[in-house]
Amino acid sequence: MMSRDEQVAVYRIEGLSCTSCAKKFENNVNQIASVSEAKVNFGAAKLIVNGAASIHELEKAGSFDHLQLVAEHEEFKKRSWYLQRHYQQLTLAAVFLLVGFVVQLLYEEQNIIGILSFVLSTLIGGVTLFYEGFKNLIRFQFDMTTLMTIAIIGAFAIGEWSEGATVVILFAISEALERFSFERARRSIRSLIRLSPKEALVVRDGQEQFIPIKEIKIGDICIIKAGQQIAVDGKVIQGTSSVNQAAITGESIPVIKCVDDDVFAGTMNEEGYLEVQVTKTSADTTLSKIIQLVEDAQANRASSQTFIDQFAKYYTPAILILAILLAVVPPLFHDDWMTWIYRGLTVLVVGCPCALVVSTPVAIVTAIGNSARNGVLIKGGVYLEELSMIQSVAFDKTGTLTKGEPAVTDYISLNEARHSSVIQIAAILESGSTHPLASAILRYAKDHQIEPMVNPSSFQSHTGKGVTGIIEGVKYFFGSPNWFGKRVTTEISNQIVPYQQAGKTVMLLATSDEILGGFAVADQPREESKQIIRELKDMGVDHVVMLTGDNQHTAHGIADRLGIEEVKAELLPNEKQQYIQQLRNSGISIAMVGDGVNDAPALAISNVGIAMGGASSDTALETADMVLMGNKLEKLPFAIRLSRFTKRIIGQNITIALGLKLISLLLIIPGMLTLWLAVFADMGATVLVTLNALRLLRSK
């Protein structure tokens, strides 16, 4: 365990192409004297080091795979491929290989110049491979470098110089393709990192000056001009503009921002001039948290990935044993040692588990990166896999299926002549109230272009009943029908009961003498909710249930409008949790969709907890397994489709990897597969599974 005072450094890694390489690098770094603990996140290509090791020491620990490091917030310096050492080695090795083949064509028998060319090609192209392979042989550690080293030495021992050299070159090309493919898959994550500018225009001491993001403090005033990226999370204090928030919420249509609206780092100011007061430091912005969550998700492995890693652990020694048996047993009966040794060496090359090992992680990295770009944060491969098997979805009502804010749905006319004055008086009374329903009345008045022109005198709030106030000498009462007692006649009662039965809250306005009119208020369903429920059912999620703490009338009213058959109303948070636990105990895989605060117990107990994450909702980002950014419920079917597509891709990749291995092994026995064809088949399998996984980038 690291101490509290210990230095922690985070680096980005370039060139990391396989999980075994990541593990080896992690072990090498942990052996550095000045490092107490190191952890490599393969999917995100990150190294977290507790200690004081320099970048030079760390890169030396990764020299076996030509790894390069930069500090977390820095960019890699782009170098042309011909300036990179491993490509220089590969090119020179290929030249010597070509010379060897030319000499071999000119002379019918093996020539010393040709043999020397093949040896030089092998040593130059495979120096790192042999170094690691010999180290593993000494330690009795068996991985693909061990298998390849034995195979190439064996090929030279039986005089197959050209084949041994060709195997080295093809293996190096295969590794380069793997490296390129993983960098392509990680590009979705890296693109998030590049969204945030390195500096911002800040007003300090009465002057505008560009300041590095890390030095900006809470309370600073940033200026964002048209066409510039917003570098900080903050609140607009001056100006109006349309802001493209696609990077954070995945929504393609720009959002109008004006005074008191929140803006987020990484979004684009498209038109106007904005002055923004900083509310979060660079390390705490919504974009920073999204990047952190997405990168951490890469380390949270799916069960299929864990299985493959375990399988590969036993698979490699098994291949070695099979190769030895094939090289030794048949010659005992046929006395043809060279032929069967050659075939045993070919088994070693075919048996390299490259394609199998990368089949799952490349799909997981691609899917999680793509989902983040589309406004869905999935916190790991395990949740991506769980989501693909969901049979039931439970929704919270308020703020999830509904907008989460009450609105006036009906005006109850009891005195038509006083329609406008009833709205105005109600607005005047509610302008001094903090009750949640007050905002609904004020919005309704504004929609009818009625403004509360005066303030009430002797204003009083009566908890659970309503409010009173004197306006122009007249005392008015505004609140629940129960508060008015016998003044609510049978005729008035008959008018308001249908609204109450539909789950709406009724509020009446009255003087001491008569009831003047009223309003029916309700939380409105989101426009997209009904379509989302239908989509889920079309996708095979047959069991959809609403869990809410609201009353039965309101809950059933909303459910009927949305097409939800099962409703559990008047539930406390722990009762929601108990209901989901019962479903799980019965063998049903369930996802819970809520707001991430009062639904936290239910989110925690479900197979996949899905939070409706407003871009500024830190609680949603932290509590759930998956977050729908920007409160976009329509992202849910996309996430389920992506998870199912990912599961199919992983299944296809494992089938391709194992299928090609099996076919290749069967072709070795009758001698139909040469050494170089074997490595070509292995390279082909790796390329196929990678390209197949990159299809996930196209999911929208």
Side-chain angles (χ1 to χ4, degrees):
M1 292 291 292
M2 72 172 189
S3 71
R4 225 176 253 275
D5 300 324
E6 198 167 21
Q7 180 181 343
V8 179
V10 182
Y11 301 93
R12 299 200 174 277
I13 311 168
E14 188 174 67
L16 198 61
S17 60
C18 67
T19 51
S20 59
C21 299
K23 190 66 183 172
K24 187 178 296 183
F25 180 46
E26 183 177 288
N27 291 338
N28 289 352
V29 174
N30 275 311
Q31 289 171 15
I32 297 173
S34 58
V35 173
S36 63
E37 186 181 3
K39 189 72 178 173
V40 171
N41 181 332
F42 169 69
K46 282 177 67 175
L47 170 68
I48 302 168
V49 179
N50 304 325
S54 66
I55 283 188
H56 176 72
E57 288 177 293
L58 298 173
E59 286 188 337
K60 188 176 178 182
S63 60
F64 67 90
D65 205 24
H66 308 288
L67 301 182
Q68 288 183 283
L69 302 177
V70 294
E72 183 181 20
H73 298 291
E74 292 180 13
E75 291 284 341
F76 286 101
K77 292 179 181 176
K78 292 293 179 186
R79 293 188 301 164
S80 301
W81 67 270
Y82 52 82
L83 295 176
Q84 298 179 40
R85 191 176 66 180
H86 50 281
Y87 287 122
Q88 291 173 342
Q89 287 178 219
L90 178 58
T91 303
L92 188 58
V95 169
F96 278 112
L97 179 67
L98 185 61
V99 170
F101 276 121
V102 169
V103 172
Q104 196 175 55
L105 285 172
L106 294 175
Y107 297 91
E108 291 185 6
E109 295 182 1
Q110 287 187 340
N111 181 281
I112 188 65
I113 297 175
I115 292 172
L116 186 61
S117 295
F118 289 132
V119 170
L120 286 172
S121 174
T122 303
L123 291 175
I124 294 168
V127 60
T128 307
L129 168 69
F130 295 139
Y131 177 71
E132 291 302 316
F134 281 122
K135 275 206 307 186
N136 289 344
L137 272 173
I138 294 167
R139 297 170 183 168
F140 290 97
Q141 294 176 348
F142 299 101
D143 62 8
M144 60 185 177
T145 60
T146 317
L147 297 184
M148 294 298 292
T149 300
I150 295 170
I152 293 160
I153 291 170
F156 281 6
I158 62 174
E160 296 290 346
W161 305 100
S162 62
E163 298 227 7
T166 305
V167 165
V168 169
I169 297 297
L170 289 175
F171 184 73
I173 293 171
S174 176
E175 284 197 314
L177 287 171
E178 275 184 47
R179 193 177 291 113
F180 170 78
S181 300
F182 264 104
E183 286 304 315
R184 177 76 177 84
R186 292 180 182 121
R187 202 172 294 168
S188 295
I189 302 172
R190 296 276 169 87
S191 65
L192 291 174
I193 298 166
R194 296 188 188 103
L195 285 173
S196 183
K198 298 288 183 276
E199 57 183 15
L201 186 60
V202 177
V203 178
R204 281 191 181 170
D205 302 323
Q207 292 186 333
E208 296 179 6
Q209 50 188 301
F210 283 99
I211 292 177
I213 295 298
K214 289 182 181 180
E215 296 178 16
I216 293 177
K217 301 172 184 175
I218 293 173
D220 277 341
I221 307 300
C222 288
I223 293 172
I224 301 101
K225 298 175 182 177
Q228 291 183 338
Q229 271 190 319
I230 297 171
V232 292
D233 279 16
K235 192 175 288 292
V236 177
I237 58 172
Q238 185 177 327
T240 300
S241 180
S242 62
V243 174
N244 188 329
Q245 298 190 144
I248 302 295
T249 65
E251 56 192 327
S252 56
I253 300 172
V255 178
I256 299 298
K257 298 288 184 178
C258 50
V259 174
D260 289 335
D261 285 340
D262 293 321
V263 293
F264 310 102
T267 58
M268 177 66 74
N269 179 21
E270 296 203 330
E271 293 177 349
Y273 170 92
L274 293 175
E275 286 188 16
V276 173
Q277 186 169 43
V278 179
T279 56
K280 292 180 182 177
T281 61
S282 61
D284 294 325
T285 64
T286 302
L287 179 62
S288 297
K289 289 188 175 181
I290 289 172
I291 293 168
Q292 185 67 47
L293 288 170
V294 172
E295 292 186 330
D296 289 348
Q298 310 300 335
N300 201 342
R301 296 183 168 195
S303 57
S304 57
Q305 191 173 346
T306 306
F307 165 75
I308 290 297
D309 289 345
Q310 288 298 316
F311 180 77
K313 194 166 137 185
Y314 298 102
Y315 165 84
T316 307
I319 286 292
L320 184 60
I321 293 167
L322 177 63
I324 293 170
L325 291 174
L326 191 63
V328 174
V329 175
L332 296 176
F333 301 97
H334 300 288
D335 195 26
D336 188 5
W337 286 94
M338 286 300 180
T339 298
W340 290 102
I341 288 173
Y342 181 86
R343 291 177 186 176
L345 295 174
T346 309
V347 167
L348 291 180
V349 175
V350 164
C352 280
C354 303
L356 187 63
V357 170
V358 304
S359 61
T360 300
V362 71
I364 297 293
V365 169
T366 306
I368 289 176
N370 183 28
S371 68
R373 282 194 298 113
N374 283 283
V376 179
L377 299 185
I378 302 173
K379 295 186 180 178
V382 62
Y383 305 117
L384 191 67
E385 194 169 68
E386 283 277 5
L387 191 63
S388 69
M389 299 182 285
I390 289 299
Q391 301 163 284
S392 173
V393 178
F395 289 96
D396 172 47
K397 179 182 75 69
T398 307
T400 302
L401 291 172
T402 66
K403 296 176 181 177
E405 55 182 32
V408 174
T409 59
D410 305 273
Y411 172 74
I412 302 171
S413 177
L414 301 177
N415 186 337
E416 189 59 40
R418 300 200 60 175
H419 177 233
S420 296
S421 64
V422 167
I423 297 174
Q424 186 173 50
I425 292 165
I428 290 171
L429 290 172
E430 291 292 28
S431 64
S433 173
T434 57
H435 192 278
L437 297 180
S439 59
I441 301 298
L442 293 171
R443 280 196 302 273
Y444 185 74
K446 187 175 181 180
D447 290 342
H448 285 75
Q449 298 180 337
I450 297 172
E451 295 290 336
M453 304 301 291
V454 296
N455 292 320
S457 59
S458 303
F459 175 84
Q460 281 187 296
S461 176
H462 305 270
T463 305
K465 296 177 182 178
V467 296
T468 59
I470 297 174
I471 302 170
E472 295 180 350
V474 179
K475 186 172 185 178
Y476 292 96
F477 302 79
F478 186 52
S480 167
N482 296 333
W483 190 26
F484 297 98
K486 293 181 180 180
R487 279 191 289 172
V488 178
T489 63
T490 303
E491 183 183 350
I492 294 174
S493 182
N494 290 338
Q495 275 190 266
I496 66 176
V497 164
Y499 296 113
Q500 292 174 321
Q501 289 176 339
K504 299 179 181 181
T505 300
V506 173
M507 302 169 72
L508 299 178
L509 178 70
T511 63
S512 301
D513 302 321
E514 64 173 326
I515 295 177
L516 306 174
F519 304 87
V521 179
D523 186 8
Q524 293 293 84
R526 294 171 181 268
E527 289 80 1
E528 67 272 19
S529 292
K530 189 172 184 177
Q531 175 62 26
I532 301 306
I533 303 301
R534 189 183 300 118
E535 268 193 73
L536 290 175
K537 292 181 178 179
D538 290 343
M539 293 167 63
V541 182
D542 297 321
H543 184 243
V544 177
V545 59
M546 179 197 289
L547 308 181
T548 179
D550 216 334
N551 65 72
Q552 294 284 352
H553 285 309
T554 302
H556 281 280
I558 294 290
D560 290 343
R561 292 171 65 180
L562 299 179
I564 299 175
E565 288 86 10
E566 187 174 350
V567 179
K568 301 292 179 184
E570 299 177 13
L571 297 179
L572 296 172
N574 65 304
E575 290 173 326
K576 291 183 182 180
Q577 182 188 37
Q578 288 166 8
Y579 175 80
I580 289 178
Q581 185 64 66
Q582 288 171 8
L583 285 181
R584 290 199 63 178
N585 291 343
S586 65
I588 294 174
S589 180
I590 184 167
M592 172 70 192
V593 188
D595 62 12
V597 185
N598 63 336
D599 294 313
L603 291 170
I605 202 68
S606 59
N607 294 84
V608 183
I610 304 170
M612 296 291 291
S616 59
S617 175
D618 292 343
T619 307
L621 290 174
E622 291 164 6
T623 57
D625 306 319
M626 180 177 137
V627 182
L628 307 178
M629 296 302 293
N631 282 325
K632 296 291 182 179
L633 194 60
E634 60 266 33
K635 303 287 184 185
L636 179 58
F638 157 75
I640 294 175
R641 281 194 297 270
L642 179 65
S643 68
R644 291 177 178 178
F645 188 24
T646 305
K647 189 178 181 182
R648 287 200 304 275
I649 291 289
I650 290 172
Q652 291 166 5
N653 280 357
I654 292 171
T655 303
I656 291 168
L658 290 178
L660 285 176
K661 295 289 180 196
L662 182 60
I663 292 169
S664 299
L665 288 170
L666 291 174
L667 290 174
I668 289 170
I669 296 171
M672 296 173 67
L673 202 70
T674 62
L675 271 174
W676 70 270
L677 276 177
V679 76
F680 197 76
D682 179 67
M683 179 174 71
T686 303
V687 171
L688 275 176
V689 300
T690 304
L691 291 176
N692 194 39
L694 292 178
R695 288 166 58 205
L696 289 162
L697 288 173
R698 297 185 311 188
S699 295
K700 300 293 183 184

